[in-house]
Amino acid sequence: MSDRLIESASQTAGPYVHIGCLPSWAGIDGIYPEDLGATIAGPGARGERITLKGRIFDGAGEPLRDSMVELWQADAAGLYQSPGEYRGAADPDFRGWGRAATDADTGLYRFDTILPGAVRSGGVTHAPHVALWIVARGINLGLHTRAYFAGLPENAADPVLTLPELAGRVDTLLAVRDGGTWTFDIHLQGGRETVFFDV
Amino acid sequence: MDWPYWGDVMSDSGPPPRLSPRDFSVQPAALSPAYRSSRLRAPERKLVALPGQLGDLTGPAFGHDLPGAADHDLIHNFAAAGASALGPRIIVHGTLRDESGRPVPDALIEVWQANAGGRYRHKNDAYLAPLDPNFGGCGRVITGADGSYSFLTVVPGPYPWPNGGNDWRPAHIHFSVFGTAFAQRLITQMYFEGDPHIALCPIVNAIPDKGAIDRLTARLDMGRTVPMDMRAYRFDIVLRGPDATMFENGTGG
Ligand SMILES: [Fe+3]
């Protein structure tokens, strides 16, 4: 189509992304009542409560301490809280979207949420997973990855985890459980580089 | 659920349309050595293509009741009563569309910037220029039914940054933009027409395409200027859109 437009170019979020996206975290109070993305699952949300946390390592093995991560996931029944969800109504007390800064000292990000359900769409069943989007100084185009949950039976037949091109790299997409906490570390470079997606 | 956007290419009972494949020729390279921070933070391996998945075609929605009354007014939203931020007062406005040309309504746009002296209100920014006690540096808006947005602010100052020894950022405003799909998520920066620092900036020059840089450069818009009050700059934003082939069905291609 001749009137097709061109996507705006991305630019790095820079080291001060918190001012715009998490101002209270950055110490700027009094403009917004609270930072967006703090509550992924409301008190009445159905499903198993979990914490997902981890660090994002650069090519020198240093954790990023100035980045921002956004999370997007389905509810316990595998439904998205989104206008684009066509398969049914998601849990009314479940938001499914979260936003967190990596800690300025430890580099840890943390999301309190529920374990998502498997997503059945287009005749395919996708193992439970959360989508993560990472922006920071030095990242020119936001990075999309996914955290799956190690040990879940659905992983064996998941259409993404079984992609031939992911052979030998699937471990980088698996969060590891310790009680109610799942750890998902992300490596931007090196032998353990996390799989990032062109979605 | 009501679904005004993309309404003519989807039904209530079908999945959202796929997005066009991303055109990486108009996007910055992950590794851009002149921008030193990218050296240790750019993935070295190719992105794995994962098009058309429901989780990426859906995304969070934000209502018109989200922004407070002053969220769009950076001149006043952090200022003491009766005070206002220092610096040249401007309106920044434009339209959010997708690649198909459709306006994107009801979309959240968040902005942040340095003050008129080039200083951010952030604990890690130690630039010599002083903080403005009446400037916080963040704002947000929801796009209208026609995809339009506008906010009020002051022109941010250029600032030096530790990169090559004597690098200065052009004056810029950071934008975080939501569409309706998580795959449309965009963070970018708006520059100001005529700024000689644009051509010198390693962050800008991570973008290989001159036209793409030009489209990040806002134009002075005298038509929206408020006489004796504030000038206006126009900045239009384009998100990824539904695959073109979806529109060619039934129209003869
Ligand atoms: Fe900046």
Side-chain angles (χ1 to χ4, degrees):
Chain A
M1 293 173 75
S2 58
D3 57 350
R4 193 110 181 128
L5 302 177
I6 301 170
E7 185 191 14
S8 298
S10 170
Q11 291 272 260
T12 177
Y16 307 131
V17 57
H18 324 98
I19 294 174
C21 295
L22 295 163
S24 293
W25 185 90
I28 300 174
D29 292 309
I31 300 182
Y32 311 149
E34 60 185 5
D35 288 339
L36 288 182
T39 303
I40 300 168
R46 294 186 289 270
E48 177 189 342
R49 299 270 157 181
I50 63 167
T51 294
L52 179 71
K53 68 176 178 61
R55 291 187 287 178
I56 305 167
F57 293 96
D58 71 13
E62 279 296 308
L64 274 58
R65 296 179 177 90
D66 58 3
S67 62
M68 181 178 87
V69 187
E70 288 185 358
L71 170 150
W72 175 240
Q73 67 166 88
D75 69 10
L79 295 169
Y80 289 97
Q81 190 66 266
S82 171
E85 175 57 82
Y86 67 100
R87 300 164 302 158
D91 182 341
D93 208 23
F94 184 73
R95 178 87 169 109
W97 177 76
R99 175 184 268 180
T102 48
D103 186 87
D105 297 317
T106 65
L108 279 167
Y109 68 85
R110 175 193 169 121
F111 294 108
D112 294 317
T113 182
I114 54 113
L115 189 67
V119 174
R120 294 171 190 81
S121 162
V124 178
T125 297
H126 298 265
H129 65 278
V130 304
L132 298 172
W133 188 65
I134 301 153
V135 294
R137 168 177 68 84
I139 295 176
N140 288 321
L141 182 64
L143 297 171
H144 288 274
T145 188
R146 289 180 171 190
Y148 290 80
F149 298 88
L152 295 195
E154 295 95 331
N155 291 346
D158 180 81
V160 175
L161 295 179
T162 54
L163 284 173
E165 60 196 299
L166 294 196
R169 303 185 69 197
V170 169
D171 281 357
T172 73
L173 297 177
L174 296 178
V176 178
R177 176 169 215 156
D178 178 11
T181 296
W182 295 80
T183 297
F184 184 66
D185 286 334
I186 294 164
H187 297 268
L188 298 179
Q189 297 181 350
R192 288 187 291 166
E193 181 177 316
T194 300
V195 173
F196 298 106
F197 295 106
D198 172 20
V199 297
Chain B
M1 184 144 192
D2 189 31
W3 184 257
Y5 175 57
W6 287 349
D8 54 340
V9 290
M10 64 184 292
S11 67
D12 290 340
S13 56
R18 283 184 172 229
L19 299 179
S20 285
R22 182 165 241 156
D23 179 358
F24 285 93
S25 73
V26 296
Q27 292 296 337
L31 176 62
S32 182
Y35 175 26
R36 282 172 41 176
S37 289
S38 75
R39 294 180 193 174
L40 289 175
R41 293 184 170 194
E44 298 168 304
R45 306 190 62 159
K46 219 167 119 32
L47 300 180
V48 173
L50 203 60
Q53 306 246 314
L54 183 63
D56 301 310
L57 297 174
T58 50
F62 302 91
H64 285 267
D65 55 347
L66 171 70
D71 285 6
H72 73 289
D73 183 355
L74 284 73
I75 297 174
H76 295 104
N77 67 15
F78 193 75
S84 59
L86 289 170
R89 299 153 59 87
I90 54 171
I91 300 170
V92 177
H93 76 102
T95 300
L96 180 65
R97 293 190 178 83
D98 73 20
E99 293 167 307
S100 74
R102 285 174 163 67
V104 183
D106 310 324
L108 175 63
I109 298 177
E110 296 159 293
V111 297
W112 66 102
Q113 64 170 85
N115 68 23
R119 172 84 179 266
Y120 283 97
R121 185 172 290 280
H122 194 285
K123 64 182 185 306
N124 293 344
D125 189 359
Y127 183 34
L128 296 170
L131 287 172
D132 175 351
N134 292 306
F135 188 72
C138 64
R140 61 186 177 185
V141 297
I142 300 271
T143 58
D146 58 354
S148 66
Y149 76 90
S150 72
F151 61 94
L152 312 180
T153 188
V154 295
V155 177
Y159 58 82
W161 57 297
N163 183 60
N166 188 23
D167 284 306
W168 294 75
R169 294 303 323 282
H172 62 277
I173 301 175
H174 295 265
F175 278 66
S176 164
V177 186
F178 287 81
T180 55
F182 203 55
Q184 289 174 298
R185 200 72 182 80
L186 176 73
I187 280 185
T188 189
Q189 302 182 29
M190 178 197 114
Y191 303 103
F192 290 82
E193 175 180 19
D195 186 341
H197 290 292
I198 296 171
L200 301 174
C201 178
I203 289 176
V204 174
N205 289 326
I207 303 169
D209 183 87
K210 289 274 181 254
I213 295 171
D214 189 60
R215 289 188 292 274
L216 294 185
T217 306
R219 299 302 198 275
L220 179 67
D221 181 0
M222 287 300 289
R224 280 286 291 267
T225 293
V226 181
M228 305 307 288
D229 182 350
M230 51 178 75
R231 295 176 303 145
Y233 279 87
R234 179 171 183 119
F235 182 56
D236 293 326
I237 307 164
V238 180
L239 300 179
R240 298 174 65 192
D243 200 310
T245 57
M246 305 200 61
F247 297 94
E248 289 161 6
N249 296 334
T251 63

